[in-house]
C-alpha cells in the first residue's frame, strides 16, 4: 500500500490555528491507495497489459465536458520557488530542473490553448521576488528567459509575501474583462516574510485575483489559506504531487481556461480589435515593435503602423491586433466534444474496425468470455460517439478529444451541422454541445 | 589518418542517407454538381487518371511511401483507399490482401484512353477465382502490382460512391464535407505514425508527443518520424463552407500542431456559360479566384503548405463565344490541354515531401486574406468588436443593438468601452486622486482622506 499524501503544518502562529487544524484534518482521508499488483491480469500465462494501458488512457480522457462559460482572455502570473528546497533530488535530476522543463512545456501549451492571453514569470529566491519575464503574449521571450535560469542554482529562502506583492502589482493593469490568476509552484514548506502575509492575501482577494498552488512536498497551511480565500472557499486549486507525471498533469491542467463563477459575470464587455492582413513589400521597412527591417508584416487597421507578429498591441494606437484564427483557437473550449462511451460486447458486433483509422477491433468472443473472473465485463476496445453511433478505437478517442476536438463520425455527414458548427442529429436533437451553449457554473 | 582509408564513410559520421517514408493523404472533392459544372473543361475521369499518375509517381519516389485517399462528397466523407470494412462485399472475410486472381480491371495506357473506358469495362468482366480472365491484354499483367492494386480499389470505391448517390442528395447539399475528410485523414495519420514509430524504436507514442519531441530538439533524426502531408483537391465554391467553420478550424490547428502541411489544389469553376456574351475569360477567372476558399487558403498558410489556384485554360484574347461554337477539334485541344496542365501542377509542385521542400522554393500565395467576417452581416471587416465571453465578432453597424440587448450569440449584457480606445492596453484612464482634505485636527481620522491609488510597486 502506498500512502502518498502527508499533512504538515507550518509554524505560523495565529489565533485561527485551531479552526485551520480542524479543516486540514477533514482532508486527511483523501488518500489514493494503489495496489498495483492486483491490477495485473494473466491471460494464457502472459500478463495482459493492454487492458491496463487502455484504462489508463480512458482515465485521462474522462473529464467534465459540460459547456461552461470560461475566461478566455487570461492574465496569469507563474510563481516559481527557487529556494534551497528545490535542490532536493526526489525528482530526477533535481526538483528545480524538472520544474523548469515542465515550465517550458507549459508555456508552449498555454499560448497554444490561449492565444490572446498573457503570461508573466516571477521567481522566489534568497528571500526576495525576482521577475524572470514580464507580462507579455509572446512565448519565445518567456522560453528564452526560463532557459537562462537553467544555469542558475536555487538558493536561499522563499518569501511568499514578496512574491505575491510583486504578482499583484504585475496584474494591476490587467483589465477587468480578463481573468487574473496566479499559479504558484511551491517546493518549500515554509516562508520568510517581512510583514503580514495575511494582509497580502486580503489585498489579493480585493483585487479579484485567483490563486492556485501546486505543492511539491507536502501541504502547507498558508498555501491552503491562500487558495481557499481567493477562490471563495474552494480548495480544489491546491494539489500536492505524487510523482513526476502528476506534476506535469497538474501544470497542463492549468492551461485550460477556468470556468467563470457566478459573481464575475458582470465583467463582460465588448472589446475593439483589429484584424490586419499580411502585406509584402519589395523594399524592407522597419517594424514598429522591434525596429527591425523586414519586408513583410501586418498593418494596423486603424493607424497603419507595421508590426511583425500577431497577436500584439499596436505600439502607436494601442489597438489589439489579432487574427481570427487566434479567436478560433479558443472555440473548442466553449464547445467541447462530448465524451464517448464504451461499447459493451452485446452491441460490439456492429463494427469490425475503427471508423476513423480502420484499425481492426478484436473479434467478438463467445458469450461466456464476456465477463472475466470478477464478473466485470471485459473491454471490447470500442468506444461509441453518442450522436453518430460510430465506433472508434482508443487511440482515435484520445486523438479526437485531445488534439482535434472533432468527432470524425459526426463530421463525416452522419449528422448535420448547425450554424456555428454545432452538430445536430437528423431529428433535430442537439448533440455534443448539449443544451444551453453558455451554461454558467454557479 | 582517418580519411586515408575511407573508414569515415562507415563510421556513422555522415547523416543517414535513407529517406524516411512519407505518407500522402489525398482528399478529393467529389461533389457531383461541381464536377458537372467543370465538365467541358476537365472531366472527372481524366482528373482521376491524372491523380493516378501522380500517386504512382509518389510511390515510385521511395519504396516505403504510403498513400491514402478520402472522398469528400456532398453529404459524407468516405474512405476510397484503403477500403474500409463497411465497403467490402461480404465475401471478403480476410479482406485486405488482394491476390492476382481478383483482377477485375482493364489496364490501358493512361495517356491514350480516358479512364471512363476503364469503368465501363469494370462492370463487364465477371470476377473469377482462378487465373486471369481471358479477355485481359498482356499489358495489365505487366503492370507494377502495387500500382495496379491501388488503382483497382480506388476506382471501384469511387464508382460505388457515385452510383450510390441519389439526385435528391445532389440537389439538396451543395457543399462538400472537407472538415470530416480532414478529421478522418488526421486519425489515419495518427495511427500510421504510431505504427511506424513502434516499428522503428519499439516505443509507441502518439503523434502529439512525437511532434513535441521533434519540436524541442531541432537536430533530431527525422528518419524516425513518419512525414505526412495532406493534399486537398477542391472545386466547390467556398461560400458553402461557412457552417463548417469551427470543425475546420479545429482540424487546421491540429495539423499545425503536428507539423502536417496541407496543400491545396483548387480547380476553378468556369464562369456561368449561360450568358453567351461573357467576354473576358481572364476577368472571370480572377473573379472566381477571389471567391476562392478562404478557409483553405488560411489552412495552407497556417501549416506551411502550398496553395495553388490552378488555371486550366490558357488566357487567350479570343472571346468565349468563339470557344462555344468552336469545332470539335478545338474543344478536344482545350480539354487535353486542361488535363495536362493539371498533371503538370501535380507533378511539379505537389510531389516533394515536407523535408525536401526546405530546399525548394514552393509556389504559394503570399497575400492571404486574414480578415474576419462579422457574425451579424457576414461582411469582411478589418476592425471589429469582440464579445469577451463567447468571442463572436461584430461590426460597428451592430453597436447600437449590442449595447442595448447584449451579445447576439450568448446574450450577455455588454458594456462598450466608450472612450473609443477599448480593449486591453488602451483606454488607460488616469486614476483620479481625490483632493486631499485639509486635515481636521482629529488625529486618527485622517486615514479616510488619504486615497489609495494603488501605485504599482
Amino acid at each position: 500500500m502506498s500512502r502518498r499524501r502527508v499533512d504538515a503544518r507550518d509554524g505560523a502562529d495565529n489565533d485561527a490555528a485551531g479552526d485551520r487544524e480542524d479543516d486540514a484534518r477533514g482532508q486527511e482521508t483523501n488518500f489514493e491507495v494503489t495496489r498495483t499488483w492486483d491490477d495485473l491480469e494473466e491471460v494464457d500465462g502472459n500478463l495482459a497489459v493492454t487492458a491496463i494501458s487502455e484504462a489508463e488512457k480512458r482515465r485521462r480522457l474522462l473529464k467534465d465536458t459540460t459547456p461552461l462559460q470560461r475566461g478566455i482572455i487570461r492574465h496569469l502570473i507563474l510563481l516559481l520557488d527557487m529556494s534551497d528546497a528545490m535542490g532536493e533530488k526526489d525528482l530526477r535530476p533535481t526538483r528545480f530542473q524538472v520544474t523548469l522543463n515542465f515550465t517550458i512545456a507549459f508555456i508552449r501549451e498555454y499560448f497554444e490553448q490561449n492565444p490572446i492571453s498573457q503570461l508573466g514569470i516571477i521567481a522566489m529566491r534568497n528571500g526576495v521576488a525576482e521577475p524572470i519575464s514580464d507580462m507579455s503574449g509572446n512565448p519565445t521571450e518567456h522560453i528564452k528567459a526560463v532557459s537562462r535560469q537553467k544555469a542558475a542554482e536555487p538558493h536561499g529562502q522563499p518569501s511568499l509575501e514578496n512574491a505575491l506583492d510583486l504578482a499583484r502589482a504585475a496584474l494591476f493593469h490587467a483589465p477587468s474583462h480578463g481573468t487574473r490568476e496566479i499559479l504558484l509552484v511551491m517546493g518549500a514548506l515554509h516562508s520568510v516574510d517581512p510583514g503580514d502575509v495575511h494582509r497580502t492575501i486580503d489585498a489579493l482577494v480585493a483585487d479579484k485575483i485567483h490563486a492556485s498552488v501546486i505543492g511539491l512536498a507536502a501541504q502547507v497551511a498558508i498555501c491552503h489559506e491562500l487558495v481557499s480565500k481567493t477562490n471563495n472557499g474552494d480548495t480544489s486549486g491546491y494539489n500536492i504531487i505524487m510523482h513526476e507525471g502528476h506534476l506535469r498533469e497538474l501544470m497542463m491542467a492549468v492551461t485550460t481556461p477556468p470556468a467563470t463563477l457566478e459573481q464575475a459575470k458582470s465583467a463582460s464587455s465588448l472589446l475593439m480589435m483589429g484584424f490586419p492582413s499580411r502585406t509584402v513589400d519589395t523594399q524592407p521597412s522597419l517594424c514598429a515593435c522591434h525596429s527591425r527591417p523586414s519586408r513583410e508584416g501586418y498593418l494596423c487597421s486603424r493607424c497603419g503602423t507595421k508590426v511583425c507578429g500577431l497577436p500584439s498591441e499596436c505600439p502607436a494606437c494601442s489597438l489589439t491586433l489579432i487574427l481570427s484564427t487566434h479567436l478560433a483557437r479558443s472555440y473548442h473550449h466553449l464547445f467541447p466534444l462530448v465524451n464517448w462511451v464504451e461499447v459493451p460486447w452485446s452491441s460490439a458486433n456492429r463494427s469490425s474496425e475503427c471508423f476513423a483509422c480502420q484499425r481492426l477491433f478484436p473479434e467478438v468472443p463467445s458469450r461466456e468470455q464476456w465477463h472475466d473472473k470478477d464478473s466485470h465485463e471485459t473491454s471490447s476496445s470500442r468506444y461509441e460517439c453518442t450522436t453518430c453511433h460510430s465506433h472508434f478505437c482508443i487511440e482515435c478517442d484520445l486523438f479526437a478529444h485531445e488534439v482535434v476536438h472533432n468527432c470524425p463520425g459526426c463530421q463525416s455527414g452522419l449528422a448535420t451541422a448547425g450554424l456555428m458548427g454545432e452538430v445536430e442529429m437528423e431529428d433535430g436533437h442537439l448533440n455534443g454541445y448539449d443544451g444551453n451553449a453558455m451554461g454558467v457554473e454557479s | 589518418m582517418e580519411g586515408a582509408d575511407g573508414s569515415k564513410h562507415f563510421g556513422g559520421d555522415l547523416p543517414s542517407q535513407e529517406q524516411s517514408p512519407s505518407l500522402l493523404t489525398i482528399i478529393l472533392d467529389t461533389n457531383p454538381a461541381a464536377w458537372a459544372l467543370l465538365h467541358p473543361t476537365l472531366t472527372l475521369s481524366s482528373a482521376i487518371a491524372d491523380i493516378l499518375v501522380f500517386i504512382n509517381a509518389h510511390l515510385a519516389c521511395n519504396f516505403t511511401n504510403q498513400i491514402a485517399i478520402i472522398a469528400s462528397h456532398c453529404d459524407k466523407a468516405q474512405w476510397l483507399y484503403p477500403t474500409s470494412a463497411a465497403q467490402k462485399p461480404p465475401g471478403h472475410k480476410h479482406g485486405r490482401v488482394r491476390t492476382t486472381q481478383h483482377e477485375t480491371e482493364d489496364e490501358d495506357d493512361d495517356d491514350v484512353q480516358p479512364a471512363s473506358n476503364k469503368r465501363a469495362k469494370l462492370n463487364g468482366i465477371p470476377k473469377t477465382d482462378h487465373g486471369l480472365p481471358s479477355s485481359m491484354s498482356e499489358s495489365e499483367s505487366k503492370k507494377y502490382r502495387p500500382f495496379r492494386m491501388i488503382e483497382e480499389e480506388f476506382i471501384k470505391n469511387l464508382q460505388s460512391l457515385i452510383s450510390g448517390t441519389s439526385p435528391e442528395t445532389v440537389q439538396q447539399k451543395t457543399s462538400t464535407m472537407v472538415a470530416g475528410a480532414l478529421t478522418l485523414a488526421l486519425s489515419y495519420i495518427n495511427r500510421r505514425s504510431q505504427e511506424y514509430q513502434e516499428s522503428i524504436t519499439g516505443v509507441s507514442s502518439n503523434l502529439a508527443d512525437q511532434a513535441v519531441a521533434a519540436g524541442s530538439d531541432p537536430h533530431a533524426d527525422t528518419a524516425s518520424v513518419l512525414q505526412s502531408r495532406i493534399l486537398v483537391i477542391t472545386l466547390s465554391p467556398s461560400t458553402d463552407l461557412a457552417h463548417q467553420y469551427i470543425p475546420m478550424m479545429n482540424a487546421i490547428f491540429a495539423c499545425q500542431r503536428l507539423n502536417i502541411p496541407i496543400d491545396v489544389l483548387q480547380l476553378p469553376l468556369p464562369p456561368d456559360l449561360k450568358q453567351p456574351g461573357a467576354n473576358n475569360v481572364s476577368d472571370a477567372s480572377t473573379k472566381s479566384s477571389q471567391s476562392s476558399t478562404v478557409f483553405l487558403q488560411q489552412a495552407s498558410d497556417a501549416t506551411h503548405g502550398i496553395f495553388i489556384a490552378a488555371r486550366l485554360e490558357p488566357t487567350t484574347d479570343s472571346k468565349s463565344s468563339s470557344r462555344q461554337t468552336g469545332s470539335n477539334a478545338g474543344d478536344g485541344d482545350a480539354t487535353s490541354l486542361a488535363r495536362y496542365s493539371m498533371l503538370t501542377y501535380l507533378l511539379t509542385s505537389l510531389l516533394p515531401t515536407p523535408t525536401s521542400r526546405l530546399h525548394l522554393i514552393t509556389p504559394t500565395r503570399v497575400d492571404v486574406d486574414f480578415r474576419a467576417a462579422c457574425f451579424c452581416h457576414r461582411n469582411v471587416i478589418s476592425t471589429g468588436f469582440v464579445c469577451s465571453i463567447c468571442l463572436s465578432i461584430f461590426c460597428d453597424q451592430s453597436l447600437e443593438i449590442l449595447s442595448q440587448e447584449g451579445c447576439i450569440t450568448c446574450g450577455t449584457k455588454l458594456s462598450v468601452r466608450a472612450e473609443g480606445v477599448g480593449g486591453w492596453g488602451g483606454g488607460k484612464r488616469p486614476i483620479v486622486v481625490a483632493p486631499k482634505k485639509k486635515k481636521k485636527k482629529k488625529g486618527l481620522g485622517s486615514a479616510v482622506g488619504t486615497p489609495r491609488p494603488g501605485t504599482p510597486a
Side-chain angles (χ1 to χ4, degrees), chain B residues 195-455:
Chain B
E195 290 173 358
Y196 181 69
Q197 179 87 329
E198 222 173 290
S199 70
I200 294 286
T201 58
V203 174
S204 80
S205 64
N206 64 7
L207 195 51
D209 294 339
Q210 284 177 31
V212 167
S216 52
D217 182 11
H219 302 293
D221 186 13
T222 51
S224 64
V225 175
L226 183 69
Q227 298 178 48
S228 23
R229 65 191 201 274
I230 299 180
L231 167 63
V232 183
I233 300 178
T234 174
L235 38 107
S236 304
S238 68
T239 50
D240 300 334
L241 290 182
H243 67 278
Q244 290 184 24
Y245 182 59
I246 291 183
M248 262 201 72
M249 281 297 155
N250 284 337
I252 292 170
F253 294 137
C255 286
Q256 206 179 4
R257 197 164 149 181
L258 304 172
N259 294 325
I260 299 175
I262 298 181
D263 303 327
V264 181
L265 177 64
Q266 191 198 19
L267 304 174
L269 287 181
D272 201 348
L273 290 176
K274 280 191 209 148
Q275 306 156 10
N279 14 19
N280 219 333
V281 178
S282 56
D283 191 26
S285 66
T286 42
K287 199 163 139 202
S288 65
S289 65
Q290 271 171 11
S291 69
S292 56
T293 51
V294 183
F295 297 156
L296 289 178
Q297 274 186 41
Q298 290 184 5
S300 54
D301 182 75
T303 56
H304 306 292
I306 296 175
F307 182 91
I308 299 180
R311 274 190 315 145
L312 295 179
E313 301 141 13
T315 45
T316 60
D317 291 341
S318 57
K319 299 201 177 75
S320 69
S321 52
S322 68
R323 200 159 59 82
Q324 280 177 341
T325 56
S327 60
N328 260 350
D331 277 347
D333 278 348
T335 311
S336 51
L337 198 61
R339 207 187 118 192
Y340 292 140
S341 53
M342 177 173 173
L343 187 56
T344 314
Y345 279 119
L346 287 173
L347 285 180
T348 52
S349 321
L350 300 167
L351 197 52
T353 58
T355 44
S356 323
R357 286 186 200 173
L358 296 173
H359 307 288
L360 301 170
I361 299 177
T362 52
T364 186
R365 285 176 83 127
V366 203
D367 55 340
V368 183
D369 190 357
F370 276 118
R371 295 175 298 168
C374 72
F375 282 35
C376 37
H377 309 102
R378 310 295 315 170
N379 300 338
V380 174
I381 47 173
S382 56
T383 324
F385 293 90
V386 175
C387 167
S388 62
I389 305 292
C390 62
L391 301 182
S392 357
I393 307 170
F394 303 108
C395 57
D396 36 359
Q397 293 172 18
S398 317
L399 207 50
E400 270 298 314
I401 314 173
L402 288 173
S403 45
Q404 284 167 6
E405 294 175 25
C407 169
I408 298 176
T409 325
C410 66
T412 350
K413 287 282 181 242
L414 294 169
S415 61
V416 183
R417 299 297 178 97
E419 61 260 24
V421 195
W424 73 76
K428 285 198 191 91
R429 270 196 283 216
I431 296 161
V432 177
V433 175
K436 265 200 163 145
K437 290 192 201 140
K438 288 266 159 46
K439 274 194 196 163
K440 302 174 185 153
K441 299 280 180 180
K442 283 264 172 99
L444 293 173
S446 59
V448 176
T450 318
R452 268 219 274 165
T455 43

Side-chain angles (χ1 to χ4, degrees), chain B residues 132-206:
Chain B
L132 298 170
S134 52
S135 50
M136 203 165 306
S137 65
E138 265 199 28
S139 55
E140 298 117 32
S141 53
K142 289 189 189 151
K143 186 164 193 186
Y144 186 46
R145 199 159 150 261
F147 292 172
R148 193 180 62 203
M149 282 167 34
I150 292 180
E151 249 183 78
E152 271 178 45
E153 281 195 43
F154 176 28
I155 293 190
K156 186 150 143 317
N157 289 332
L158 183 61
Q159 206 197 6
S160 65
L161 173 68
I162 293 187
S163 54
T165 315
S166 63
E168 295 86 40
T169 21
V170 175
Q171 267 183 345
Q172 277 173 11
K173 318 244 173 153
T174 50
S175 73
T176 179
M177 311 286 284
V178 175
L182 277 174
T183 316
L184 284 180
L186 280 169
S187 314
Y188 186 75
I189 289 176
N190 183 35
R191 171 193 165 195
R192 280 277 178 234
S193 303
Q194 232 177 344
E195 290 173 358
Y196 181 69
Q197 179 87 329
E198 222 173 290
S199 70
I200 294 286
T201 58
V203 174
S204 80
S205 64
N206 64 7

Side-chain angles (χ1 to χ4, degrees), chain B residues 100-138:
Chain B
T100 48
Q101 282 115 351
H102 293 269
E103 184 69 52
T104 55
E105 188 210 332
D106 259 348
E107 171 47 40
D108 299 302
D109 287 326
D110 280 338
D111 298 349
V112 175
Q113 238 171 338
S116 50
N117 271 353
K118 281 188 217 170
R119 284 189 304 195
K121 287 188 184 159
L122 250 184
N123 292 329
I125 298 182
K127 248 196 304 194
T128 62
D129 278 332
H130 315 286
L132 298 170
S134 52
S135 50
M136 203 165 306
S137 65
E138 265 199 28

Side-chain angles (χ1 to χ4, degrees), chain A residues 73-77 171-176 178-182 207-211:
Chain A
I73 302 171
R74 306 171 69 183
H75 303 270
L76 175 73
I77 296 277
L171 285 174
F172 176 72
H173 287 292
S176 60
T179 64
R180 297 173 179 191
E181 303 165 47
I182 290 180
D207 278 352
K208 299 200 187 63
I209 297 177
H210 300 281

Side-chain angles (χ1 to χ4, degrees), chain A residues 396-438:
Chain A
C396 291
D397 193 351
L398 267 177
F399 188 65
H401 282 95
E402 289 188 358
V403 184
V404 189
H405 308 284
N406 285 341
C407 168
C410 300
Q411 291 307 319
S412 302
L414 299 176
T416 56
L419 179 59
M420 288 270 279
E422 67 265 17
V423 181
E424 285 185 359
M425 275 308 290
E426 299 287 319
D427 53 4
H429 161 70
L430 191 66
N431 147 59
Y433 317 118
D434 31 56
N436 214 346
M438 292 290 150

